[in-house]
Amino acid sequence: MNQVNIDLIAGARPNFMKIAPIIRALQEAEKNGSKLQYRLVHTGQHYDRNMSDQFFEQLGIPEPDVNLGSGSGTQAEQTARIMMAYEKLLMEQPADLCLVVGDVTSTLACSVAAKKLGIKVAHVEAGIRSYDLTMPEEINRMVTDSITDYFFTTSEVANAYLRRTGVEQDRIFFVGNTMIDTLLHHRKDFRKPEIWDEAGLEQGKYIVMTLHRPSNVDEESTLIDLIRTIIDHSRNLPLVFPIHPRTRKVLEHSGLDHPRLLQVDPLGYLEFNYLVERAAAVITDSGGITEETTVMGVPCMTLRANTERPETIDIGTNELLGTNPDAIPASMEKLFSGEWKKGSIPPLWDGHTAERIVEHLENIFQ
Ligand code: UD1
């Protein structure tokens, strides 16, 4: 085969850190005469500066070659808009492989559009499952994996799941975690956000909180209950709360205010992880953050009933609290008494995952 044209799909914030190291590894390969060529496709699912552009700049991601400009909407509207725009692109300028990452709407939409045009699909972060079909992400994972040709995985649990569902071993590539490639690559560049000096934050003496799952934030009373319980049980520690647009929309009406609750706009990658690395703990309902806290050894309380990333609990520093605020007090006590588990780093989360992915792609398309 001559040149191999790979579409790299990025749509929403958690995609950007997963795609950045793959681009770097492909650029490196190109210098060495590789046949692998990429086209970066931004679906436009996230479009605010602080949800998208800022990440491109900080992570050194080049300007997308194409922006599908899909914008917001319901799950079906967003999916449909991305599929229509991506299908059109592929019909005008085809690719040999569509590489998707993670579990967002863009992941599902682009993999389906490509596969229906007979284009191979590679899925980075394949095979992880929460078994919770109320999460749009779980449906995205299931559909994407059902049509994936090449599965790049982050854990043995994912490998075992894929094998159990009949995926042949030679299509499963256990490579590690590209999100951790980005974390380790940029760790030396983390930078102090403005809130650090403004609020007089001190290492180990504050908590970082993020909430954006529909089940936690879409109902105002649920969200307020969670936040109030966290405030009531976090002793005298400031709570730094970068607020996702979805959560902001709900909070705007609530008038919630407390002197220790530091409400800020979504932070850049470097600023956010500066805070996480130095925090006493993180309280979150994100999946990706539980991986980052695991690698940085920071106690993490997850406000979800389940996780698709069990290694962050079995090996890492994460604990699942569920979504009932009643679990928060005991967990805070454990933190304050210094009994939080220490944890270690899952296999192959070593900063070299993207290089392994590119090596496999070279072999697949040789
Ligand atoms: C999406 C992902 C989720 C990921 C999260 C991280 C899906 C199904 N979900 O959820 O897995 O953890 O991103 O951020 O893909 N909005 C803006 N500006 C933006 C982007 C969104 O204001 O740049 C608003 C939208 O109008 C919408 C809300 O935020 O009302 C939610 O955005 P959406 O992309 O639908 O899903 P997320 O909740 O961000």
Side-chain angles (χ1 to χ4, degrees):
M1 200 185 251
N2 298 322
Q3 188 174 304
V4 179
N5 295 315
I6 303 175
D7 272 355
L8 302 178
I9 308 296
R13 187 170 61 178
N15 285 171
F16 306 140
M17 17 320 203
K18 294 172 195 169
I19 216 84
I22 300 176
I23 294 176
R24 252 197 332 276
L26 283 170
Q27 286 170 337
E28 224 20 71
E30 196 180 346
K31 281 189 209 151
N32 299 320
S34 168
K35 290 182 296 192
L36 306 178
Q37 301 286 314
Y38 72 86
R39 169 171 70 179
L40 179 58
V41 180
H42 191 322
T43 64
Q45 179 180 343
H46 282 176
Y47 45 84
D48 281 352
R49 192 184 144 67
N50 59 21
M51 298 295 285
S52 179
D53 298 5
Q54 177 170 211
F55 286 79
F56 275 66
E57 286 160 25
Q58 291 197 344
L59 303 180
I61 307 175
E63 277 284 303
D65 297 291
V66 182
N67 193 318
L68 303 179
S70 67
S72 300
T74 64
Q75 290 284 322
E77 283 166 351
Q78 229 175 23
T79 307
R81 276 206 292 269
I82 298 169
M83 283 180 74
M84 284 159 66
Y86 186 49
E87 180 185 60
K88 186 163 182 286
L89 174 71
L90 285 176
M91 291 198 299
E92 286 163 5
Q93 299 166 50
D96 301 303
L97 177 74
C98 169
L99 184 147
V100 294
V101 298
D103 56 18
V104 302
T105 303
S106 304
T107 310
L108 162 106
C110 291
S111 56
V112 172
K115 190 70 181 178
K116 287 195 168 184
L117 289 173
I119 294 167
K120 300 269 191 215
V121 172
H123 184 200
V124 172
E125 206 184 87
I128 64 176
R129 293 290 184 273
S130 68
Y131 303 100
D132 175 359
L133 286 164
T134 65
M135 291 173 68
E137 292 83 355
E138 183 69 358
I139 299 172
N140 296 342
R141 290 182 202 111
M142 291 169 66
V143 175
T144 303
D145 282 343
S146 72
I147 53 169
T148 287
D149 295 282
Y150 310 113
F151 300 81
F152 293 104
T153 63
T154 51
S155 70
E156 275 299 355
V157 178
N159 301 338
Y161 173 82
L162 290 170
R163 282 194 297 266
R164 268 204 315 280
T165 58
V167 177
E168 303 83 350
Q169 182 59 48
D170 62 355
R171 294 197 290 139
I172 304 172
F173 305 94
F174 178 30
V175 286
N177 193 328
T178 57
M179 198 155 182
I180 302 307
D181 285 13
T182 291
L183 188 77
L184 299 178
H185 186 79
H186 289 283
R187 199 169 185 175
K188 59 184 184 320
D189 310 320
F190 290 169
R191 55 183 191 228
K192 202 159 58 164
E194 279 174 15
I195 188 72
W196 186 274
D197 289 332
E198 279 169 19
L201 297 178
E202 290 175 60
Q203 168 127 14
K205 295 193 179 150
Y206 61 91
I207 290 173
V208 175
M209 177 163 88
T210 82
L211 294 170
H212 77 283
R213 293 260 158 241
S215 55
N216 284 335
V217 310
D218 283 359
E219 192 64 51
E220 184 176 324
S221 59
T222 308
L223 176 62
I224 301 294
D225 261 11
L226 275 176
I227 299 177
R228 282 206 191 289
T229 311
I230 293 167
I231 293 173
D232 288 348
H233 293 88
S234 47
R235 300 198 179 167
N236 56 347
L237 296 189
L239 293 164
V240 188
F241 186 25
I243 306 181
H244 187 282
R246 176 186 279 280
T247 314
R248 169 78 70 194
K249 281 183 192 160
V250 181
L251 274 183
E252 257 161 19
H253 306 286
S254 76
L256 178 75
D257 198 16
H258 186 278
R260 277 193 294 110
L261 182 66
L262 309 176
Q263 306 187 44
V264 295
D265 284 334
L267 295 167
Y269 181 82
L270 302 176
E271 291 82 2
F272 181 73
N273 282 296
Y274 183 97
L275 283 184
V276 169
E277 192 175 26
R278 291 160 181 78
V282 172
I283 304 179
T284 189
D285 59 8
S286 153
I289 292 173
T290 66
E291 300 183 335
E292 292 165 336
T293 48
T294 280
V295 169
M296 294 194 278
V298 176
C300 183
M301 304 175 195
T302 297
L303 299 176
R304 283 177 52 188
N306 46 58
T307 177
E308 60 290 339
R309 295 165 161 89
E311 62 282 1
T312 63
I313 297 171
D314 304 338
I315 304 177
T317 52
N318 185 24
E319 273 196 19
L320 274 189
L321 270 60
T323 54
N324 187 332
D326 292 352
I328 292 168
S331 202
M332 286 288 192
E333 271 318 304
K334 198 195 266 187
L335 175 73
F336 288 124
S337 64
E339 284 162 29
W340 203 271
K341 61 185 169 183
K342 293 285 175 263
S344 56
I345 299 179
L348 296 186
W349 292 19
D350 60 358
H352 298 288
T353 295
E355 293 154 40
R356 288 190 278 268
I357 291 174
V358 169
E359 233 177 270
H360 286 302
L361 290 175
E362 299 270 19
N363 291 335
I364 291 167
F365 289 101
Q366 68 190 347

